[in-house]
Amino acid sequence: MTPWQSADRPRARVGRAIEVHDSIPSTNDRARELIAAGIIGRAVVAEVQTAGRGRRGRTWASPPGANLTLSIGIDLGIRARDAWQLAAAAGLAVRDACLAVAPLGLKWPNDIVSAEGHKVGGVLIETSIDGEVVTSAVIGIGLNVNWPRSEMPDEIRDHATSLAELNGRPIARETLLADLLDALDREVVAMEGGRSPLDRYRAACTTLGAEIEVDTGDRRVVGRAIDLDAGGALVVESGGRRERLASGEIVRLRAVTAA
Ligand code: BTN
């Protein structure tokens, strides 16, 4: 038994077994293979990913032995239009699991960020959809745990940090993994039971109230983030008009403080 196995939750929906790889292309791909083989709920953990990916086609960098990179494949039966809830629930679970270590928030859509807005982790959800129903999903999570900022590549260092940096001491990854799987299990069960994470997501979302610029893929939207609608879309107010953005990337954010 490896130290990781202490995070194993045999009766849980999420994390009912742990599979650890020294090196693998992407834990998301492995979780997808497991779903195809009928194995669901298993947490796939990697020390190194040779093709780790982030949202919007980006690479996910993480040095060996420092962080948490994991994926869990689950079967589902939620409406496709509610799929955003899974990403929100996963972001909330990561944040909750880390709260004892550092105060964190969620940057829309689901980056886990420090109070200063530096990225600590990210969530990559990949779904299989049949008609109007999400039948299965891979929840991929990358979390900077014990990665000193001084060792981060230049292109990451300016806007990222790690839990150890925020807390001032190294963090036990196995304990954190156990807390994370517990939190994810609670969130997934609640979501499947019809309890939307929206209100808690709103409360945790540090984007709300800020002046932002969003890259939607085909255009830039500049304005103030004022709300998340019932479908998880970001409501941005600009020049008296309101726009709802179902997806996108915040490329600039300025918190607005009351005078
Ligand atoms: C983001 O862009 O913020 C999401 C990053 C998600 C990275 C994780 S690491 C584990 C899993 N495997 C991958 O290839 N990606 C996700």
Side-chain angles (χ1 to χ4, degrees):
M1 174 161 152
T2 72
W4 292 110
Q5 253 66 47
S6 60
D8 188 350
R9 268 99 196 92
R11 278 173 296 281
R13 177 108 168 71
V14 175
R16 66 175 67 146
I18 316 273
E19 173 181 304
V20 183
H21 297 261
D22 287 338
S23 178
I24 194 172
S26 161
T27 55
N28 264 39
D29 291 342
R30 174 63 185 152
R32 174 65 55 209
E33 277 173 17
L34 290 173
I35 292 175
I39 300 169
I40 56 161
R42 182 185 291 181
V44 180
V45 177
E47 287 294 4
V48 171
Q49 294 184 112
T50 54
R53 58 181 178 271
R55 293 175 57 245
R56 299 167 78 81
R58 281 189 298 254
T59 299
W60 185 259
S62 181
N67 296 328
L68 282 178
T69 51
L70 68 141
S71 303
I72 305 106
I74 55 172
D75 55 355
L76 275 173
I78 61 171
R79 293 175 304 182
R81 66 171 187 219
D82 291 336
W84 68 272
Q85 291 189 10
L86 184 58
L92 282 167
V94 178
R95 174 178 178 266
D96 283 0
C98 297
L99 275 184
V101 174
L104 301 174
L106 297 179
K107 178 180 161 193
W108 182 84
N110 47 28
D111 280 356
I112 295 94
V113 295
S114 69
E116 295 74 33
H118 294 140
K119 183 162 175 168
V120 178
V123 172
L124 179 67
I125 305 283
E126 294 174 336
T127 53
S128 294
I129 296 182
D130 185 2
E132 293 297 304
V133 176
V134 178
T135 53
S136 67
V138 172
I139 306 168
I141 295 169
L143 187 59
N144 297 338
V145 183
N146 293 317
W147 196 10
R149 270 185 109 183
S150 57
E151 291 176 17
M152 292 179 182
D154 291 346
E155 65 276 16
I156 293 178
R157 190 183 309 120
D158 283 350
H159 53 88
T161 189
S162 68
L163 293 175
E165 286 280 357
L166 293 170
N167 188 278
R169 66 179 168 87
I171 308 300
R173 291 185 300 157
E174 298 83 2
T175 311
L176 185 61
L177 177 65
D179 291 344
L180 175 52
L181 294 176
D182 277 344
L184 260 179
D185 191 58
R186 280 195 301 272
E187 289 289 349
V188 168
V189 170
M191 189 196 64
E192 288 180 318
R195 293 189 291 284
S196 168
L198 180 61
D199 288 343
R200 288 176 302 115
Y201 178 42
R202 267 197 193 112
C205 185
T206 56
T207 308
L208 297 182
E211 298 289 343
I212 57 170
E213 180 172 345
V214 184
D215 180 356
T216 67
D218 50 14
R219 66 202 175 94
R220 299 262 170 143
V221 177
V222 179
R224 182 183 292 221
I226 58 166
D227 199 8
L228 294 158
D229 75 7
L234 186 66
V235 183
V236 180
E237 191 169 65
S238 162
R241 283 183 54 235
R242 290 185 174 189
E243 281 205 59
R244 285 161 204 277
L245 306 180
S247 66
E249 177 81 7
I250 296 176
V251 290
R252 202 167 48 80
L253 183 149
R254 188 172 65 85
V256 179
T257 45

